[in-house]
Amino acid sequence: MRNLMQLSTLQRLTPVSYQFPLIKQLHISRTVSKPNDSSLVLSSTSNQVTTLTMNQPSKCNSWSVSMLDMLYHMLDKCAKDENTKVVILTGTDPYYSSGGNISGYMKLQHPKKFHSMIAKNNYKMFDTFISFPKPILIAANGPAIGGAVTSATLCDGILASRRATFMTPFSRMCVPPEGCSSVQFQKIMGEEKARKMLDDCWVVRADDAKDIGLVMEVVEHDRLMEAAQAMAEQWVVEHKKREIMGGGSKEEYSELNAKESVAVADAFLSSQFLNAQYQMLRERGKLGSAGIFWSLKSLRPLWSRVLK
């Protein structure tokens, strides 16, 4: 009965109408308000290099709504700061980042509104990197997963600690590639290795990441930030311009990001994704959250009608 009442509420909400082309449909405001918890992303500047450190180690520096809001805010500050010529992005040990955390987006709302929200938020997440005007160096201090990997490949380069690993478990989650990885991975590492990462969920260790061109250098863990600072300062001296790894253009990747974001939103409402989330959460003992996905999956034949 409770589930039927929830479905009734969903059906009463006003659907979102779509506009084309996709870039206009997914337009995001460049006005960034200051979030509340400044401890989520630490900042320090030395010799015109600003280091941003994602700082929620108890949650593996995952990209929650709060973490992303603070990251957007700090990157916006760096873009406008005349004393910042290069940005280093890293994480507080042991993880670089475990990637996206969708729990903050799981709210009761009309399916079309949910679809629009997912598409726009996914687009904004990666457009923040694609459109950033200054060089960004990733200092991967530990495991990077999902969007934390794909966003890193949209920067100028990656330095990796020997503790770093890289994994994009999209196929396991029943979602398509995101963060322009459907094209970017092939440009960086070739078709075979890209397929292995995107389809087979290959966990790439630091030395293998260097061999396939994903990272520039691998350094001992306790030297990572020293090496990153030295490279970033060299970029300052050289007046390095912003350049996406693999040579992709901002215009090409903005359009690709829009298409991938809509495909991701489509997948989030699919029975395959809902079932995968249910199974994963149940295995982790998170029965309450698992129950939400079970209900959504079970009622999908009813609420999916409003998507047509």
Side-chain angles (χ1 to χ4, degrees):
M1 178 63 70
R2 179 182 178 184
N3 289 335
L4 291 175
M5 291 174 63
Q6 291 177 341
L7 179 62
S8 177
T9 302
L10 283 172
Q11 292 173 327
R12 288 199 302 270
L13 294 174
T14 303
V16 173
S17 61
Y18 286 93
Q19 299 177 4
F20 293 91
L22 285 176
I23 293 295
K24 290 184 178 180
Q25 173 192 338
L26 300 178
H27 173 73
I28 56 174
S29 172
R30 286 293 165 198
T31 302
V32 180
S33 59
K34 184 177 180 180
N36 294 324
D37 192 352
S38 60
S39 67
L40 287 174
V41 179
L42 307 179
S43 176
S44 63
T45 302
S46 176
N47 298 327
Q48 298 185 304
V49 175
T50 295
T51 298
L52 300 180
T53 305
M54 296 175 285
N55 185 46
Q56 199 171 27
S58 63
K59 295 187 177 180
C60 304
N61 303 322
S62 65
W63 284 0
S64 63
V65 174
S66 298
M67 174 67 82
L68 283 174
D69 283 348
M70 182 54 68
L71 190 57
Y72 296 152
H73 171 69
M74 297 305 294
L75 285 170
D76 186 60
K77 281 185 64 177
C78 289
K80 297 173 181 176
D81 179 20
E82 294 183 358
N83 193 42
T84 296
K85 304 301 182 184
V86 176
V87 172
I88 297 172
L89 181 60
T90 190
T92 299
D93 289 342
Y95 272 70
Y96 170 71
S97 173
S98 60
N101 180 347
I102 68 168
S103 61
Y105 300 107
M106 299 307 295
K107 300 175 182 178
L108 185 64
Q109 55 191 302
H110 193 285
K112 283 189 177 180
K113 186 175 182 180
F114 177 76
H115 182 281
S116 178
M117 178 191 68
I118 293 298
K120 288 180 179 179
N121 283 323
N122 193 83
Y123 179 82
K124 179 178 181 179
M125 180 164 58
F126 296 110
D127 184 69
T128 297
F129 290 88
I130 293 169
S131 300
F132 193 74
K134 300 176 182 180
I136 309 178
L137 176 62
I138 301 298
N141 57 295
I145 301 173
V149 178
T150 54
S151 62
T153 68
L154 297 172
C155 298
D156 295 69
I158 304 172
L159 285 183
S161 156
R162 292 200 178 278
R163 298 181 186 177
T165 58
F166 304 88
M167 180 176 67
T168 50
F170 303 134
S171 63
R172 188 180 301 166
M173 297 171 61
C174 300
V175 296
E178 62 180 15
C180 302
S181 57
S182 61
V183 171
Q184 178 72 333
F185 276 22
Q186 286 193 37
K187 284 188 177 183
I188 292 173
M189 63 190 76
E191 183 178 354
E192 179 185 354
K193 297 300 189 294
R195 181 200 57 76
K196 193 174 179 182
M197 282 201 74
L198 292 173
D199 296 343
D200 301 340
C201 305
W202 178 29
V203 180
V204 185
R205 299 189 181 279
D207 287 332
D208 292 330
K210 184 175 187 300
D211 289 342
I212 65 176
L214 182 59
V215 307
M216 303 166 69
E217 296 291 341
V218 179
V219 300
E220 297 301 327
H221 185 72
D222 59 2
R223 290 194 56 250
L224 176 63
M225 298 315 299
E226 175 187 348
Q229 182 70 25
M231 179 173 288
E233 288 185 14
Q234 184 61 35
W235 286 0
V236 173
V237 171
E238 295 170 353
H239 302 286
K240 185 184 183 308
K241 301 297 183 182
R242 176 77 168 96
E243 184 179 10
I244 296 173
M245 290 171 60
S249 71
K250 174 183 174 182
E251 293 73 22
E252 172 193 6
Y253 280 3
S254 290
E255 183 65 33
L256 177 59
N257 182 31
K259 292 178 180 178
E260 286 184 347
S261 295
V262 172
V264 167
D266 290 344
F268 269 40
L269 291 171
S270 70
S271 57
Q272 294 89 344
F273 173 80
L274 296 173
N275 187 62
Q277 291 296 308
Y278 163 67
Q279 295 290 348
M280 178 190 70
L281 291 166
R282 189 182 67 170
E283 290 171 3
R284 294 181 179 180
K286 298 181 178 181
L287 301 182
S289 297
I292 293 174
F293 283 97
W294 181 86
S295 298
L296 289 170
K297 180 185 70 168
S298 301
L299 290 168
R300 191 180 187 281
L302 296 176
W303 59 255
S304 62
R305 295 174 186 175
V306 301
L307 295 172
K308 298 177 182 179

